[in-house]
Amino acid sequence: MEEKSEQVKDAMTVAVVGCTHAGTFAAKSILAQHPDWDVHVFERNDTLSFLSCGIALWVGNHVSDPRRMFYSSPEELSSLGAHMHMRTDVTSVDLVGKDLSYRSLQTGEEKVLSFDKIVVTTGSKPALPPIPGLAEGLGGGRVLRCKNWDDGKLIKEKMAGAKSVAVVGAGYIGAELAEQVSLMGAKVTLIDGLERALAKNFDEGITSLVEEDYRSHGVELALGQMVEGIEADEEGVTVTSGGVRRRVEYLIMAAGFLPRTDLFSGKLDMLPNGAIKVDPYMRATLLDEKGEPCGEPSQDVLAAGDSATVLYNPTGKADYIPLATNAVRQGLLVGANIVCPTQAYLGTQASSAVQLYDLSLAACGLTVAGGKARGIELASTTLVQDFRPDFMLTTEPVTCILTWDPQTREVKGAQFACRHDVSQAANAVSIAIHNHNTIDQLASFDFFFQPNFCQPVNYLGAVAMKAVAENPVA
């Protein structure tokens, strides 16, 4: 009897608020280590774990079955022991009193749950700038967003017969949608306030290649233009940017994401954009009545994924980088650290890749522009060489840009572009950044040679060698 009562005493009630990537893996990791705990998962949608990064591929008919874009389900988490509250909105949370109120979006029924620990995995929401007419246009089916399963279904449906489309936002999501819709035969306009497409991911030596491909496929690039107004009606949308009015059938908003953390505003320590600050063990810090952090991070309030900060290794500082890879790794750490700090987060290099038309692009760490935006001056070295020997029947040039700290010579980032898939090079540099390797060390690393795959001096080693040769140690 004593052993049983001890087990009941040790059992915890955990609320997981939000369940896409971080929430799914947090719930799984908690239940794997504490199968006797009461884990309650709250999610506004009727699905979870949707890989929204595949929406553009789905729109362009490159997905075998959209149901395979989910890697988990409410049923799976239920089978592991979770209490699933789907189509449920958490309306308020008392982090001190440890209870939350929630309402069923289907029945309207409201209830209260008392918890011992809470995991904030509320994710992110599309950034919707204060553009005149935008709010009114979102409800008519002509202005679309790209975030979840419902958004994906709507875009898939509307783009099937679209003749003219404007995409606002030239980051990864907007860039991919513009590419796929243009390949479907629509006239596409890509609008962004920055002067270059993919400007936050790549420096000019690579974005110029991307922009050339867009123009060759008939995409109008309206770069360096802020959207000044949107007028939507039953027939289409008039979007004004840079003083130019364009009439299109549909407008897709892809202007980035913001943390969906309004529920915890004024309760948890956050970045100015609303991202919850977490320590290496995914623990958040409560605020006092004056809005000041209450000492050490709380062992009972954890956060992960798009709602939280990440340790950005190229700078060594907390940053907001909403990537599924970050969300998954942070979510897995929740179970390991929910009782006590055990396994620290190793940080991120924000490694990423995309394919536009037949151009493969990959990056990790800081670009020169990204460093400057963070107050860091970086040096860069660019190399263009064929990815494999020219005695092969075919080869393609690869553009490599290596960024590094001119004071310490540490590698801080890299970018690659080629008609051949060279994306794994970004993963190699990611390891170099994590390990604080210098350009001198990267130039001396062992990279294999085989004519099918690379030159006798691999392009990754070659760009590092060029950096060293042009910048000898004093």
Side-chain angles (χ1 to χ4, degrees), residues 195-244:
E195 297 292 336
R196 298 180 290 110
L198 297 176
K200 291 186 177 181
N201 304 96
F202 299 93
D203 286 315
E204 189 173 359
I206 287 178
T207 59
S208 61
L209 301 175
V210 175
E211 291 166 13
E212 182 180 341
D213 272 5
Y214 276 127
R215 293 188 180 97
S216 69
H217 286 84
V219 175
E220 179 189 1
L221 296 177
L223 302 176
Q225 298 184 13
M226 301 300 292
V227 177
E228 295 140 7
I230 292 170
E231 303 167 48
D233 54 47
E234 294 182 357
E235 303 298 324
V237 184
T238 299
V239 55
T240 303
S241 67
V244 179

Side-chain angles (χ1 to χ4, degrees), residues 21-22 66 131 135 144 147-148 151 176 198 202 220 302 328 356 365 367 369 385 411-412 420 429 454 460 465 469:
H21 304 307
I131 301 169
L144 311 174
K147 174 61 178 174
N148 57 27
D151 295 336
E176 286 185 282
L198 297 176
F202 299 93
E220 179 189 1
L302 295 88
V328 169
L356 299 174
T367 63
Q385 72 171 43
V411 176
K412 292 296 183 180
H420 177 75
V429 178
C454 61
L460 182 48
M465 290 178 183

Side-chain angles (χ1 to χ4, degrees), residues 36 78 96 125 150 232 368 425 436 448 459:
D36 59 325
S78 291
V96 178
K125 57 188 176 183
D150 290 336
V368 170
H436 302 282
F448 73 83
Y459 51 86

Side-chain angles (χ1 to χ4, degrees), residues 43-46 85-89 103-106:
E43 172 56 47
R44 285 175 170 171
N45 297 297
D46 55 6
H85 304 271
M86 305 301 293
R87 295 287 294 151
T88 299
D89 190 19
R103 179 181 68 249
S104 169
L105 295 176
Q106 294 174 305

Side-chain angles (χ1 to χ4, degrees), residues 420-468:
H420 177 75
D421 182 5
V422 297
S423 58
Q424 291 302 318
N427 281 334
V429 178
S430 176
I431 297 172
I433 297 171
H434 180 87
N435 290 333
H436 302 282
N437 291 126
T438 64
I439 55 173
D440 311 271
Q441 292 170 324
L442 185 59
S444 300
F445 280 174
D446 175 33
F447 299 111
F448 73 83
F449 163 57
Q450 209 287 333
N452 283 294
F453 303 104
C454 61
Q455 299 271 16
V457 178
N458 184 285
Y459 51 86
L460 182 48
V463 69
M465 290 178 183
K466 183 179 180 184
V468 171

